[in-house]
Amino acid sequence: DQAYDNYVSTYDNYVKNGKLSVSVRPINGENANVYTGELPNTDKLQGSAAVFKLRDKTVVLQVDSEVFYDDFYKILDSVRYNQ
């Protein structure tokens, strides 16, 4: 329910504080920010979240455990949608 820029700003403070790292990963040909580390609003769980814009929506795909990183990245690589 939030605009992309507003949603991403939540993660920016965590990146500045060193709690998260951010990288860019293509999802269906579009760049997504992938945040890894202590995710906001997860009671300090370590995880990874991909955030990208799809038309006028903000899409977030998230995993809350390092154990599932391999599967998470495979899922990100398989995401397809009509632009």
Side-chain angles (χ1 to χ4, degrees), residues 34-79:
V34 179
Y35 299 93
T36 304
E38 183 183 312
L39 296 173
N41 305 318
T42 60
D43 295 325
K44 298 186 179 186
L45 290 175
Q46 296 294 309
S48 189
V51 182
F52 59 98
K53 190 172 183 176
L54 176 59
R55 293 183 278 283
D56 64 333
K57 305 296 183 208
T58 302
V59 178
V60 180
L61 302 173
Q62 179 174 315
V63 63
D64 294 337
S65 175
E66 298 174 38
V67 174
F68 301 111
Y69 280 178
D70 289 338
D71 292 329
F72 178 69
Y73 292 117
K74 287 178 188 176
I75 290 169
L76 292 182
D77 290 340
S78 71
V79 171

Side-chain angles (χ1 to χ4, degrees), residues 7-42:
Y7 193 87
V8 170
S9 69
T10 304
Y11 289 89
D12 288 343
N13 290 332
Y14 278 70
V15 172
K16 288 176 187 173
N17 293 336
K19 294 179 180 182
L20 280 176
S21 63
V22 62
S23 61
V24 177
R25 186 181 188 96
I27 295 180
N28 197 54
E30 298 293 324
N31 286 335
N33 288 347
V34 179
Y35 299 93
T36 304
E38 183 183 312
L39 296 173
N41 305 318
T42 60

